[in-house]
Amino acid sequence: MPGANYVMKLSIVIPAVGCQSDIDDTVLSVLENQPDDCEVLLSHPESYRDPYQLEDELRLVPSSGGESPDPISLLNVGIEAANGEVIHALQPGMLVSKGWCDAAIAAFVDDSRVSALSPSILVDGAKRPVRGIRYHVAAGKQWVRQPQRSVLAPSLAAGFYRRRAIEFMHGLDEQFGCWADIELGLRM
């Protein structure tokens, strides 16, 4: 168990998918509120150009997946390039506020058995809380927004993962597309 002053390195991976304003809003909210000892990575298609010259504040990670790689392959590229012990996947359109990582990082530090967590203080672009995802046979994949509802896994829109757990699982399975978070949750 690490000492009381131990700081766990965090890597925030944002795949550059969707509309530019969502990417910009998410990157800006992260850069304004990023915790200490963290790196921010923006994984992007080769054609992406940094409109704000932010390479001093975040690491741009190009994908060789063609003009429009899918979000899962971009997350895998970012995760592979990341240096942190904890990976935070964050999709464009998600907004963060000061301290949004604190509880998750504390849980990873306090208990080495924790493999994945959903954020407790996070909202989507419509300012609705995001708690994780669940799966129901009749309804399919569903966002969990109420604290009393059970969560199967963190959503890849905003989930925290221990690096060694993702490595043990050999990354996100790209063949599942938007269901990759459900599939990873079931494997974990």
Side-chain angles (χ1 to χ4, degrees):
M1 175 130 160
N5 295 328
Y6 178 73
V7 177
M8 183 170 279
K9 175 98 175 179
L10 172 69
S11 294
I12 301 167
V13 178
I14 304 167
V17 294
C19 69
Q20 187 65 47
S21 64
D22 284 348
I23 297 168
D24 296 346
D25 290 347
T26 298
V27 167
L28 182 61
S29 74
V30 167
L31 293 177
E32 287 177 342
N33 298 292
Q34 71 184 6
D36 295 334
D37 200 26
C38 117
E39 66 176 345
V40 181
L41 297 91
L42 182 69
S43 53
H44 60 86
E46 290 176 326
S47 62
Y48 180 81
R49 298 295 171 250
D50 179 12
Y52 304 108
Q53 316 312 293
L54 293 172
E55 58 271 349
D56 292 341
E57 298 184 59
L58 56 84
R59 189 156 43 118
L60 297 172
V61 182
S63 166
S64 58
E67 270 307 298
S68 57
D70 65 272
I72 305 307
S73 66
L74 286 174
L75 278 172
N76 277 333
V77 166
I79 290 167
E80 190 173 311
N83 296 311
E85 297 169 71
V86 174
I87 306 293
H88 181 27
L90 197 60
Q91 295 288 329
M94 303 305 288
L95 304 175
V96 300
S97 57
K98 187 164 180 58
W100 95 96
C101 294
D102 295 349
I105 295 301
F108 281 107
V109 169
D110 292 345
D111 190 344
S112 63
R113 298 169 299 172
V114 174
S115 297
L117 286 170
S118 291
S120 58
I121 311 171
L122 195 71
V123 296
D124 62 16
K127 306 226 185 282
R128 296 173 298 182
V130 175
R131 307 246 184 255
I133 53 170
R134 65 188 192 136
Y135 177 79
H136 187 272
V137 175
K141 179 177 167 177
Q142 300 173 322
W143 287 75
V144 176
R145 298 187 185 280
Q146 298 82 21
Q148 67 274 18
R149 307 275 312 262
S150 63
V151 171
L152 170 67
S155 167
L156 288 176
F160 293 90
Y161 302 89
R162 191 175 300 273
R163 167 184 282 294
R164 69 174 187 252
I166 289 181
E167 288 172 349
F168 180 77
M169 298 293 168
H170 304 289
L172 302 167
D173 195 330
E174 294 171 20
Q175 73 178 338
F176 287 96
C178 69
W179 295 84
D181 43 10
I182 293 284
E183 192 272 339
L184 181 63
L186 289 170
R187 281 193 289 149
M188 284 186 163

